[in-house]
Amino acid sequence: MEVLKSSSCIVFVFLVGAFYCQVSALLNLTLPGQHPDPESVAQDVYRRVNASISRRQILSYTNSEQSSTCFTGNPMDDCWRCDPNWQLNRQRLADCAIGFGQYALGGKGGRYYVVTDSSDHDAVNPKPGTLRYAVIQTEPLWIVFPTNMLIHLSQELIFNSYKTLDGRGANVHITGGGCITLQYINNVIIHNIHIHHCYQSGETNVRSSPTHYGWRTMSDGDGISIFGSRDIWIDHCSLSNCKDGLIDAIMGSTSITISNSIFSHHNKVMLLGHNDNYLPDSGMQVTIAFNHFGKKLIQRMPRCRRGYIHVVNNDFTRWEMYAIGGSASPTINSQGNRYIASFDNDAKEVTKRLDTSDGEWMNWNWRSEGDIMVNGAFFVASGQDVGVKYEKAYSVEPKSAADIDLLTLNAGVLRSRGNKLVKWTGDGSGADFDSNSDGFDDYDDYSGSKKPPYTNTSILTTFLTILTIFLFLHDTTTSLI
């Protein structure tokens, strides 16, 4: 009897100790993969960008063909695209991320898996050769596509850890139920994929590994849902037209880089943070770099709760409500972006503090450094040693606007034409491939017809944008004189 009592006491003490450790970790707000010094990561991003821009400027004096066709000043792209034989080592891509998601390995070191079947008829027993069969495997995989594919998902596509989707050389579209779910996993790279027209799915069984499937309730219909996951890199994707968010990262997700992508035709673009009361999201760290926030976007580019969000060298074009919003005191570090406001006088402000009084948000650390504000856009900074001010960024040299054009030149899914992309052949030799063929824009319906590349509306929009920037730079030059 005494032995049982002693054993019970030991078990009780063990459980109390384990509970105490969990509570302590929660109060310390440290997440697996969370960087102890986020400012140093932000500084490293800017250092790498400046180094790449300087390299391009030096090479431009040589008049070499490579300098004009390869080096863009974008350190991620220059890392792999400047190798004319990059297709012989596709996994080199895993070494090219910067920012908080720079340690995402994806399927590096694993075997190549070729998607040969675009169907998705059975979410519990996927066929070998399908994308769903690949992403649930436990081993690292580098997943490639031998030809153009439209993959219409029947249910959420639930990933396992250590996977890379490499769509280079093919025109790959993912649509349908739930779309991509990264839940309690790590080390995923999603590159060169169209993701659009995702809707709610669920109330059914879905497989998440070779040995497990389970009941899934109704999903939100996000393009990419990141849930309690880390070491994630989303690069050169085109996202639009989903039921809820294009990208959501919640429930203690961290170590994420979202880069070189195009977002368009959507309301709630990007959510970072579960809710104001979920304390583990204080450890969320996200880099948003070299993206183009384009046509018909309304809000949340991103909308942040807690965490440290580095928004660097993006191009924001005519949001309808606001660009960057937040609550629960997130840190927002905006550097070297171009914010082009719409012609609506009620939608000029870049920033939006949500559900918070002025007295509270004045202490939040939101800062703007080297940003270009166009067409009346303004950034309301706040926090320690900043004070509330309307950041017009008039001191920024005009060349910064040209740098944004250069750095975001190839945002979105890369086209093969002029970029020397080659489709997967298995032997690494590759071949010329026109990824524009048999494709359609993400915001089209499913007619399969392509929109003409330039319409009267797009020409007018481009002209007005150029005119607005020219007038802004002219006014700036005049004021300096």
Side-chain angles (χ1 to χ4, degrees), residues 35-109:
H35 198 281
D37 184 7
E39 290 289 343
S40 67
V41 177
Q43 291 171 6
D44 180 63
V45 169
Y46 226 59
R47 179 189 62 79
R48 295 196 195 191
V49 173
N50 289 336
S52 294
I53 291 175
S54 298
R55 186 182 304 113
R56 174 182 171 82
Q57 291 172 341
I58 292 171
L59 288 173
S60 66
Y61 291 115
T62 67
N63 294 320
S64 68
E65 180 180 353
Q66 187 185 31
S67 67
S68 61
T69 59
C70 169
F71 290 100
T72 64
N74 183 319
M76 295 186 185
D77 283 358
D78 293 350
C79 173
W80 66 271
R81 294 183 68 199
C82 291
D83 179 1
N85 297 311
W86 64 265
Q87 71 275 11
L88 300 179
N89 182 15
R90 283 176 172 257
Q91 296 190 13
R92 162 70 175 162
L93 178 70
D95 302 324
C96 296
I98 64 176
F100 291 114
Q102 65 183 295
Y103 301 114
L105 294 174
K108 184 178 180 181

Side-chain angles (χ1 to χ4, degrees), residues 85 87-90 112 114 144 422-431:
N85 297 311
Q87 71 275 11
L88 300 179
N89 182 15
R90 283 176 172 257
Y112 288 95
V114 183
V144 294
V422 291
K423 69 178 179 179
W424 173 259
T425 61
D427 60 4
S429 62

Side-chain angles (χ1 to χ4, degrees), residues 345-385:
N345 289 328
D346 294 327
K348 299 294 188 183
E349 185 174 349
V350 173
T351 51
K352 177 73 171 178
R353 276 77 170 181
L354 297 154
D355 304 322
T356 310
S357 64
D358 292 354
E360 182 178 351
W361 66 252
M362 287 177 66
N363 295 319
W364 297 358
N365 191 5
W366 290 26
R367 49 189 202 266
S368 169
E369 179 184 356
D371 291 328
I372 287 285
M373 307 289 167
V374 181
N375 200 30
F378 63 94
F379 186 110
V380 180
S382 61
Q384 186 177 7
D385 300 326

Side-chain angles (χ1 to χ4, degrees), residues 92-208:
R92 162 70 175 162
L93 178 70
D95 302 324
C96 296
I98 64 176
F100 291 114
Q102 65 183 295
Y103 301 114
L105 294 174
K108 184 178 180 181
R111 63 186 177 92
Y112 288 95
Y113 177 102
V114 183
V115 179
T116 57
D117 186 340
S118 63
S119 68
D120 186 49
H121 302 311
D122 192 335
V124 175
N125 298 298
K127 293 168 54 180
T130 62
L131 177 59
R132 187 177 298 276
Y133 185 90
V135 299
I136 65 172
Q137 302 304 312
T138 56
E139 64 176 301
L141 289 177
W142 199 276
I143 302 166
V144 294
F145 302 84
T147 187
N148 296 350
M149 286 190 179
L150 169 59
I151 300 174
H152 187 83
L153 300 172
S154 59
Q155 299 292 335
E156 289 175 274
L157 188 67
I158 303 178
F159 276 56
N160 216 324
S161 296
Y162 295 99
K163 301 293 180 291
T164 295
L165 289 193
D166 182 358
R168 287 175 292 179
N171 195 9
V172 180
H173 291 251
I174 294 178
T175 70
C179 283
I180 292 175
T181 295
L182 312 178
Q183 182 170 313
Y184 297 126
I185 61 169
N186 59 80
N187 287 284
V188 170
I189 298 172
I190 301 174
H191 182 84
N192 220 59
I193 304 290
H194 297 267
I195 302 168
H196 56 100
H197 292 95
C198 303
Y199 51 78
Q200 292 179 300
S201 64
E203 304 296 341
T204 189
N205 287 314
V206 178
R207 186 169 294 278
S208 58

